[in-house]
């Protein structure tokens, strides 16, 4: 009987420390098994905590589904190697090695990257160009072509630089009449491309007014709810030539002398300049109301024609099974980030993962959903439970001995 009481007390203790979610969203069943990027939409972002640690995925049986948290990179660079078509690679005894390359799109270039099998050797070479593969023109004469050694692989890169040209054909002649030829595997060039990450537009209400006394223009930004704001684009009209200093503020709430006060905290300075759209990139900014302060000095006020707000796309990458219904639960400020084995296998996830967006985002009663396993992930609670159980057992043991003695 006493043991039963102790068990009930422990269970009650565990349940009292369960953590509940305040909102959830549903994920439509997928058509095939595989990895998917579940988008964390602005509707979900309004409920999650600041570090996204309270997001959980559950299947129809209530089992927790492992995921990787991912976010877009605002701007990223892609270094891509473009191969030339090797029309001919010929070795002539007692003469030379001829490498004929084709620049199909006649792209203007000033270098050729040669991938050469490892060799400790130097050869004299010359480079010429042609538009028809018949008449050849000199580009670079009598340069030394080194075959560097790669200590970590079987081939290495050699760059041949020359003046800008856009011939369709390039011919490299390597003088190796009395020596073994170099083994040139391929040729091409690297291009560095930049791309912007994916953003989602956020609806925002704008209210601007001018202060002749302070010589400033104020622009208030109000969102429907609390949101992460990662980028702003500001368009100006009304003045042809301008260059104004501006400051971006976030509205905050604090206490002063025991009284609740609201104030605007400066986040970032920027400039509004003729001929250039003002783009403000923000980091870890979350709120509902913001303020832009523009210093006009003695100039006429600017007309802020539009302010566009964007949120950087974030995803939960998870393996989902066909025809299975999933639920995302969130809205628990104190819940820590989960630890899944999937983090060790992120290189196995394809790059072209399909993006799906949850729907039916809604708030739920706190008592509806309990995360019982959260008790076991908190060491402090575990030790506290052990101490409580030991005290209760000790008290009951002493009481039992006394009752037996009497």
């Amino acid at each position: 009987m006493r043991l039963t009481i102790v068990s009930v007390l422990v269970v009650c203790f565990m349940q009292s420390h369960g953590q509940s979610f305040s909102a959830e969203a549903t994920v439509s069943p997928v058509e095939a098994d595989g990895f998917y990027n579940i988008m964390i939409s602005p509707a979900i972002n309004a409920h999650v905590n600041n570090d996204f640690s309270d997001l959980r995925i559950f299947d129809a049986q209530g089992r927790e589904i492992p995921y990787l948290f991912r976010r877009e990179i605002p701007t990223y660079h892609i270094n891509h190697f473009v191969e030339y078509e090797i029309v001919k690679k010929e070795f002539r005894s007692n003469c030379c090695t001829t490498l004929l390359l084709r620049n199909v799109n006649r792209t203007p270039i000033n270098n050729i990257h040669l991938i050469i099998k490892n060799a400790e050797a130097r050869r004299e070479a010359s480079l010429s160009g042609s538009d028809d593969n018949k008449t050849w023109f000199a580009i670079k004469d009598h340069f030394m072509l080194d075959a560097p050694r790669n200590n970590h692989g079987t081939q290495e890169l050699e760059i041949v630089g020359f003046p800008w040209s856009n011939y369709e054909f390039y011919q490299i002649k390597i003088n190796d009449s009395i020596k073994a030829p170099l083994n040139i595997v391929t040729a091409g060039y690297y291009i560095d491309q930049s791309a912007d990450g994916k953003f989602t537009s956020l609806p925002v209400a704008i209210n601007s007014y001018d202060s002749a006394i302070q010589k400033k223009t104020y622009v208030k930004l109000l969102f429907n709810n609390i949101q992460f704001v990662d980028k702003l684009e500001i368009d100006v009209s009304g003045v042809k030539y301008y260059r104004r200093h501006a400051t971006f503020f976030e509205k905050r709430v604090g206490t002063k002398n025991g009284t609740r006060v609201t104030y605007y905290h400066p986040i970032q300075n920027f400039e509004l300049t003729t001929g250039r759209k003002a783009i403000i990139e923000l980091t870890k900014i979350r709120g509902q109301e913001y303020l832009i302060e523009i210093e006009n000095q003695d100039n006429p006020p600017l007309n802020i024609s539009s302010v566009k707000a964007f949120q950087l796309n974030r995803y939960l990458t998870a393996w989902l099974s066909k025809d299975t219904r999933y639920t995302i639960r969130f809205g628990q400020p104190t819940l820590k980030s989960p630890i899944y084995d999937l983090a060790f296998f992120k290189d196995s996830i394809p790059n072209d993962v399909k993006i799906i967006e949850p729907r039916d985002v809604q708030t739920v009663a706190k008592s509806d959903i309990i995360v019982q396993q959260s008790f076991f992930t908190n060491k402090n609670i575990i030790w506290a439970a052990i101490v409580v159980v030991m005290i209760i057992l000790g008290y009951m043991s002493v009481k039992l001995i006394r009752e037996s003695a009497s």
Side-chain angles (χ1 to χ4, degrees), residues 40-42 45 199-200 202 227-228 230 310-314:
I40 309 174
S41 63
N45 279 323
F199 289 81
T200 298
L202 295 172
Q227 285 292 344
F228 292 92
D230 299 299
F310 301 91
Q311 187 174 93
L312 195 64
N313 287 356
R314 299 167 174 89

Side-chain angles (χ1 to χ4, degrees), residues 202-205 221-225 227 229 232 287-290 309:
L202 295 172
V204 56
L221 309 178
L222 182 62
F223 295 88
N224 295 334
N225 44 42
Q227 285 292 344
V229 182
L232 293 173
Q288 187 172 4
E289 185 175 335
Y290 302 90

